[in-house]
C-alpha cells in the first residue's frame, strides 16, 4: 500500500513539473507584442519563481487570446444552410410524398 501512495506522489510531482515546463516554454516562445498585462520578462520571473501559481496566472492573465470568429459561422458559398435549403433533399422529399418511393 505504501508503494501506491508513493507512486501517486511521484505522478503528481511529474504532472506539476510538466505544467511548469509547459508554462515556462509558452512564456518564452510567445512574441513580446502578444503578451498581456505585464512585460514578458516579468512573466518569465513570475513563472520561474512561483511555479504552480505563476503558471496558472500566466494561463489566465498573460497568455495571448486566440482569435475568435463570430458565431454562428455561416456556411461557405454554394452550401445549403439547412436541409430545407438543399434542392436535392427537397426533390427527394417531394418524390417520396407523391408516392414515387416504394421502399419502406
Amino acid at each position: 500500500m505504501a508503494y501506491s501512495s508513493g507512486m501517486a506522489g511521484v505522478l503528481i510531482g511529474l504532472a506539476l513539473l510538466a505544467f511548469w515546463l509547459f508554462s515556462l516554454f509558452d512564456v518564452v516562445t510567445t512574441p513580446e507584442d502578444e503578451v498581456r498585462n505585464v512585460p514578458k520578462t516579468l512573466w518569465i520571473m513570475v513563472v520561474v519563481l512561483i511555479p504552480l501559481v505563476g503558471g496558472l496566472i500566466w494561463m489566465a492573465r498573460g497568455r495571448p487570446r486566440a482569435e475568435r470568429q463570430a458565431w454562428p459561422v455561416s456556411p461557405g458559398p454554394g452550401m445549403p444552410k439547412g436541409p430545407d435549403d438543399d434542392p436535392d433533399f427537397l426533390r427527394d422529399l417531394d418524390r417520396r410524398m407523391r408516392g414515387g418511393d416504394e421502399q419502406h
Side-chain angles (χ1 to χ4, degrees):
M1 291 294 171
Y3 177 75
S4 63
S5 65
M7 182 61 78
V10 169
L11 290 176
I12 290 171
L14 287 174
L16 293 174
L17 177 65
F19 175 72
W20 180 73
L21 288 172
F22 172 77
S23 299
L24 184 60
F25 181 77
D26 196 34
V27 173
V28 169
T29 58
T30 299
E32 179 78 38
D33 58 327
E34 293 181 17
V35 174
R36 297 186 299 143
N37 296 324
V38 296
K40 182 176 178 176
T41 308
L42 187 58
W43 277 120
I44 292 172
M45 289 174 30
V46 167
V47 170
V48 168
L49 296 175
I50 316 169
L52 177 61
V53 176
L56 291 173
I57 295 171
W58 161 252
M59 294 295 166
R61 296 290 184 192
R63 197 168 198 223
R65 292 181 186 240
E67 293 290 324
R68 296 183 182 185
Q69 291 183 342
W71 181 262
V73 178
S74 59
M79 294 179 57
K81 292 184 172 98
D84 55 337
D85 293 332
D86 185 358
D88 294 331
F89 174 78
L90 293 173
R91 198 174 307 112
D92 184 52
L93 182 63
D94 186 50
R95 182 177 49 80
R96 283 189 285 157
M97 288 184 68
R98 293 179 190 256
D101 189 14
E102 297 301 324
Q103 297 175 359
H104 293 281

